[in-house]
Every structure is written in structure tokens, then in C-alpha cells.
Amino acid sequence: MYKKISNSWLKHWDFIALDLLFLQAAYALSYVLRNGLSNPYENPVYRNIGIILCLLDICTAFFLENYRGIMRRGYIQELKAVIKHVTVIVAAEVIYLFLSRSGEQISRSFFIVFIADAVFLLYCERVLWKAYLLKHKKIFYNKRALLILTTSDIAEDVLRTVQGNTYNELEIIGAVIMDRNDLVGTQTAGIPIVCRSSEIFDYMQTRWVDGVLVNMTKLDYLPDQFTSTCVKMGITVHKKIAEIKEGIKNQQLDNLGGYVVLSTNIRMATSRQLFVKRAMDICGALVGLVLTGIFTVVLAPAIYAASPGPIFFSQVRVGRNGRKFKIYKFRSMYMDAEKKKQELKEKNQMNGYMFKLDADPRIIGSGADGTRHGLGWFIRKTSIDEFPQFLNILKGDMSLVGTRPPTVDEWEQYAYHHRGRMATKPGLTGLWQVSGRSNITDFEEVVRLDVEYIQKWNLALDIKILLKTIVVVCKGQGSK
């Protein structure tokens, strides 16, 4: 799923936190300047105002999106933005004092001093923090991996323009010079030329690529059905020339790397939708980790006794758009499970790039033929093995609801349209898991359900899937 960079206010949580801190500093300083050296929070009225200031600051950030494009703003623009921010907060505070009939207890001169202090401190804080971030190239949010498609006559200008306008938001992984194949392996403006024009899809297939910027003098160089193929792969296409073709939905004008582009993706999501989804993930992860701790106390000695070795299983998996991360589970298989997997591949019951075997001898306590129901079977049947993944959810690698994260070897075998299922974060549960996953033996059906989830995604669908997951697990319809 794609979210416009310019619409994301939550990614600037560092500015939000600093504004909260410096707003309170301005409040305390104004109180001291007006009333002498004393603690404003000892006075009930001033303490309430201080609390309301925090709430108003957060609400202003959320509803007015005052942090949009903050890294791009100049000094004058930033001053205007700070004045607007402080003015809205003070106006709302005045309304609160009027409605609570507390205005008579607050000095008017205090408010005048507070406005001046708040504007000064917030402006200095934002300017200095931006300078620090730009100088040290630090960010506190996920970058987006960008591949640039251009032509030799404008390549250097395009690449330098994008580099000068990324503000640490984009990771330019490479460029493709569409009219010249002899430049592969060289660099232009410090950016590597990574592949030939005929190899674009193969290059993107197994690499971390979030989006493609198309800026060339002639679009004739683009492969046939380029946009539709990228959309199927879950890759966002940004075209400088805003041409709506191929009858594809989910297109909108955007700003990227200093250009106005037409962005096309499998699914568009607003900042507020993703904020609520992330909030749900964090709350669910915190509860899940408490349960994980309880299960660990009970399961750790049992797992170790049945199969000496680590209690937790970790493995590198592939996340959204090719990002790799380490997934965690309670170990339900013997230590040589990966080695035995190669021996059992011919018995795989899945048609495609996933592995599933009902009678799996790799499971702890399953016996030589894999038919016994031991400790490993119980852990998998009740889905308890999945609980450590709440740590992945808290870290942001996964979500409560999403698509199944493939292994690296599965990912490397994907066809173009398979990649589309990774256009969102992988999830602890998902649409195909609650659609009779034990009976699904065709990988293409898994892909269809995952893509359907992404295309139809909304918060209500996530809640519905979570409720269905609880029912499925309670009925014992989990993994076989």
C-alpha cells in the first residue's frame, strides 16, 4: 500500500515531541517572567492549562498537518508555520478558558509573553533540529527505496535534482538509462546504473524497491504494460508526465524528488488510516507480548526437554516490498528441520512456492512418520508458536493483519505478479489464514487472497479478520 510522503505527519514524531517539550518550556518561562521564580504546575489553574496545551498541540499536529513538508521549508516559511501553529493553540486555549470560566485567573500579559516565547523557542528548535538532521543525514522513519528510469540526455540533471530534493526520505538504489545499455556498471552523478532496459522487471523482482520514478524525454522506451506490471508487483510508479493510461485506478498527483509526478499503486492509504492501523498494532503487540512471556515460562522447559536447543526459532523473512527482517517463533521443530526440508520437498502438498506437509517428521514429538501428535503439534495447532511475532509487530516489521512473510528462497522464485502480495507489511494473520488455509494447496490462491486483501483494505476489514482469527484458533482450525 502506498502513502504519499508529503501527507505523512506521524513520521515527524521527533519534531512533534520536541515541539511538545519546547512549548512547555515556553509556558514555564513565561510564568516565571510574569510571576517570579516559582513552579506554574503547583497552581491548579496553570497546571490544567499546561495539560491542555499538550493535548491542543497534538490535535493541531494531527488535524492541521503542520509538519507536512517540514524538511523542505525555508526560514521564512518555517516562521509562518510556527506562528500559525502557536496562534491556533493559543486561540483554542482562550476558548477553553472562556468555557471553563477560568479566564479571570490568568494574566493577559502572561499570554502575550507566552506567545512571544513559544514562537521564538519553537522556531529555533525546528531550524536547529532540521540543520542537525540534514547535516548528519539522520532520519527517524523508514526510507523509500527508489529506482530511477531516465534517458542519457537528461540523466545527470534528473539524478542530481532528485538527490537534492530527497531530504533523507528516499534511498536511490540505482538508475536505468533506457536508451543506452552500454552504461550498465558505471555511475552517473554518483548513482550506479544497475541494469539494462530489458532487465528492469528481473532486477526489481528480488530487491527492495518501493517505487520507480519515470522521467525521460520519450516514453517509447518503456516496456509494454510497464505500469500495470509494476502495480501487480506492488511497486509504485511515479511518472513526471501525468498521463492516465491502461485504465488503472489508485492514481494521484504527488511531489517526489523535486518533480510533480503521477503516482500509481495497487492501493492508496491515508496517513490517518495507517496511523490507526499502527496504533492497533502497538496495542495488540503489547498485550501479545505479555501472553508470550507467560507462555515462555510454561513452554521453555518443555521444548528444551523434548528437543535440546534454543527455545525460540528465528529466520530471515521478506517483508514489505523486499525488506528483509528476522522473524521470531516458539520452536516447534527439531534443530535439523531446515536440512530435512530439502529431503521432504518431493512430498510438499502445496502447488507453488510454499511448503506444507501434514505428516511432518520435523515437528517435535511427531515420530518417524510424522503422524504422532506431540508437543510440537500442540504448539502449532493452537498457534502458540506465532506469539513471539508480537515483537516483530512492535518493532514495525509486521502488522497484526497482513500477508504471510515468505522465506528468502521462496521470494527469489516469485513471478512478477507474486510480488504484489508484498505491497504491504506481512501480518500475524490475514485473509487467506481465515479462509480455510489448511485446505488451500495452491499458492496462486494464496496470492489471489493476499492481493484481494490489499486492494480492498480498510480498518473494518482488519477488525473483521482479527475477530475471525480468534474464532478459528479457538475452534482449533489453525495450522495442521
Side-chain angles (χ1 to χ4, degrees), residues 260-274:
V260 176
V261 297
L262 180 71
S263 299
T264 309
N265 194 259
I266 190 170
R267 177 71 168 89
M268 298 288 184
T270 67
S271 297
R272 291 178 179 84
Q273 285 177 317
L274 296 184

Side-chain angles (χ1 to χ4, degrees), residues 76-87:
I76 301 299
Q77 289 177 308
E78 193 60 62
L79 179 60
K80 291 179 179 179
V82 169
I83 292 174
K84 176 183 176 182
H85 190 82
V86 173
T87 300

Side-chain angles (χ1 to χ4, degrees), residues 337-402:
E338 287 301 309
K339 179 181 178 181
K340 286 186 175 180
K341 179 180 177 181
Q342 303 302 319
E343 303 171 3
L344 297 170
K345 273 192 172 182
E346 61 182 24
K347 298 181 179 180
N348 185 15
Q349 295 173 317
M350 288 291 294
N351 298 321
Y353 305 121
M354 292 172 61
F355 183 86
K356 186 174 72 170
L357 188 63
D358 288 344
D360 194 337
R362 301 176 302 156
I363 299 175
I364 296 174
S366 61
D369 59 357
T371 58
R372 291 178 56 188
H373 292 170
L375 175 64
W377 175 88
F378 171 78
I379 293 175
R380 294 165 68 87
K381 182 69 174 179
T382 56
S383 297
I384 292 177
D385 61 320
E386 310 284 353
F387 272 75
Q389 292 174 46
F390 282 111
L391 178 60
N392 292 114
I393 295 173
L394 187 64
K395 291 169 60 180
D397 298 326
M398 296 177 61
S399 180
L400 289 175
V401 184

